[in-house]
Amino acid sequence: MTNAPSNTRVRRSEPETNETETETEEEDLVCPECAGNLVVDDEHGETVCEDCGLVVEEDSVDRGPEWRAFDAAEKNEKSRVGAPTTNTMHDKGLSTNIDWRNKDAYGNSLGSRQREKMQRLRKWNERFRTRDSKERNLKQALGEIDRMASALGLPTNVRETASVIYRRALDEDLLPGRSIEGVSTACVYAAARQAGVPRSLDEIADVSRVEKNEIARTYRYVVRELGLEVQPADPESYVPRFASGLELSDEAEHRARSLLQNAKEKGVHSGKSPVGLAAAAVYAAALLTNEKTTQAAVSDVADISEVTIRNRYHELLEAEETIGLA
């Protein structure tokens, strides 16, 4: 009889202790040909007899994980049990949350004594989640970031980036002398520009609790101290949002992009507000494609004055004519 390989498990037949044991259970433990011991080969997914070599079962399902771990730390790191971590929560989503609704798992309302108990648990759970001033600061700031990102319609990746930027600012002691709201707003503005979905300072100020000048000042400070790589806003990145708000066609949107590209070739965009250029391009494109819109409507969507739209509008058309003549 050969020894079983190291990666196998031996299924030995035990002496019959219960007369009511069925023949099926006996057959599962011994070889049906020679009544020898069965060996489970996990590597090949087979159950074979170690005496005669008969393959009793093959292609067995491995219900374990597809990864291997050689110590407890690696096992915990690779395990996918539980909710994913996120930087948008001060504890990265690893703590317990107690629902505010006083209902059980079946949707039934709790009794008065249970409600009091749950209220005490919520209070202590909140105290344990924010044990020091740094965590309380982070919780308030990340709540502000989530609120502003929701109001601006920013995607999840922008919220994650803004949260990471704020964590870096907090770790490098950039907050003393500045408000939590101001730094969190600057982080949202920087993250939106890094992700290619920029929002204008006026739009950011509309949803923030601080003034526009403070946002701009704090933004410059955070970018400089953290060494963030933020490219200048591209006017074309504003076009889809403005065109959608005005319900313009794809043709008008494409025409607006073409106007902005011509303006870049002539250098008209240098020193100009990208929001103003994008608004003027959308207005000009709507007129060129015979779609009804007004400067007032574009001004409302882009949150910019009609005077700026008129000035940029003429500059874009002049650049277009210059390229056409060339």
Side-chain angles (χ1 to χ4, degrees):
M1 180 176 68
T2 59
N3 294 329
S6 58
N7 61 339
T8 59
R9 302 195 306 273
V10 179
R11 298 170 60 177
R12 299 189 179 278
S13 57
E14 298 179 355
E16 189 173 342
T17 58
N18 190 349
E19 294 182 357
T20 61
E21 186 177 13
T22 63
E23 295 181 359
T24 304
E25 292 174 339
E26 291 178 353
E27 291 176 356
D28 289 342
L29 298 174
V30 300
C31 175
E33 293 290 335
C34 66
N37 294 323
L38 297 181
V39 176
V40 179
D41 188 347
D42 291 326
E43 182 178 355
H44 298 91
E46 296 177 342
T47 301
V48 299
C49 175
E50 65 178 358
D51 293 337
C52 66
L54 176 68
V55 178
V56 178
E57 184 180 351
E58 62 180 349
D59 296 331
S60 58
V61 178
D62 183 5
R63 303 189 184 278
E66 80 281 4
W67 43 262
R68 294 191 304 168
F70 300 98
D71 55 33
E74 187 178 2
K75 181 178 180 181
N76 292 333
E77 182 181 351
K78 290 184 176 182
S79 177
R80 293 188 290 272
V81 177
T85 58
T86 173
N87 284 304
T88 58
M89 300 180 68
H90 73 282
D91 52 12
K92 296 190 176 181
L94 298 176
S95 63
T96 301
N97 290 319
I98 301 178
D99 195 4
W100 58 270
R101 291 169 293 190
N102 291 313
K103 293 184 179 181
D104 60 14
Y106 301 99
N108 300 322
S109 299
L110 300 178
S112 59
R113 297 189 63 179
Q114 284 292 331
R115 285 199 299 270
E116 293 176 2
K117 179 180 178 180
M118 295 306 299
Q119 187 61 32
R120 289 196 299 271
L121 287 174
R122 290 191 193 97
K123 184 183 296 183
W124 281 104
N125 181 60
E126 195 64 25
R127 290 174 179 173
F128 287 135
R129 289 183 66 188
T130 53
R131 288 172 290 182
D132 53 31
S133 59
K134 183 177 179 180
E135 289 190 357
R136 287 193 294 272
N137 180 312
L138 194 58
K139 182 181 178 182
Q140 180 181 348
L142 297 182
E144 280 291 297
I145 289 173
D146 187 65
R147 179 188 65 80
M148 289 185 288
S150 297
L152 293 168
L154 296 173
T156 305
N157 65 310
V158 176
R159 305 182 192 198
E160 289 277 350
T161 304
S163 302
V164 172
I165 294 173
Y166 189 89
R167 288 176 185 272
R168 288 185 57 193
L170 186 62
D171 292 338
E172 298 189 20
D173 294 327
L174 302 185
L175 268 70
R178 293 167 180 81
S179 66
I180 295 175
E181 291 83 0
V183 178
S184 58
T185 305
C187 293
V188 171
Y189 183 51
R193 291 186 62 172
Q194 281 187 330
V197 285
R199 297 294 185 268
S200 66
L201 264 178
D202 292 323
E203 291 177 293
I204 295 287
D206 287 341
V207 300
S208 177
R209 294 191 173 99
V210 294
E211 297 296 329
K212 178 180 176 180
N213 291 337
E214 182 181 348
I215 297 172
R217 185 169 58 251
T218 307
Y219 165 75
R220 289 192 295 268
Y221 174 74
V222 170
V223 170
R224 183 177 66 252
E225 293 298 322
L226 297 181
L228 301 178
E229 295 183 2
V230 181
Q231 299 294 329
D234 187 356
E236 289 187 45
S237 61
Y238 293 95
V239 170
R241 188 156 53 91
F242 293 168
S244 176
L246 294 167
E247 298 182 352
L248 299 179
S249 64
D250 293 340
E251 181 186 359
E253 182 179 336
H254 180 74
R255 193 73 178 85
R257 290 179 182 274
S258 177
L259 287 170
L260 290 173
Q261 290 168 3
N262 294 336
K264 291 177 184 177
E265 291 181 14
K266 300 298 294 183
V268 175
H269 71 296
S270 180
K272 305 294 193 306
S273 167
V275 180
L277 281 171
V282 169
Y283 175 67
L287 297 183
L288 292 172
T289 55
N290 297 320
E291 298 189 32
K292 293 182 179 180
T293 189
T294 61
Q295 292 181 6
V298 178
S299 175
D300 291 338
V301 170
D303 195 16
I304 199 166
S305 68
E306 296 182 33
V307 176
T308 303
I309 294 174
R310 282 194 294 272
N311 293 338
R312 299 293 92 82
Y313 164 75
H314 292 301
E315 294 172 359
L316 289 174
L317 291 183
E318 288 176 5
E320 181 89 353
E321 290 175 0
T322 304
I323 291 179
L325 293 174

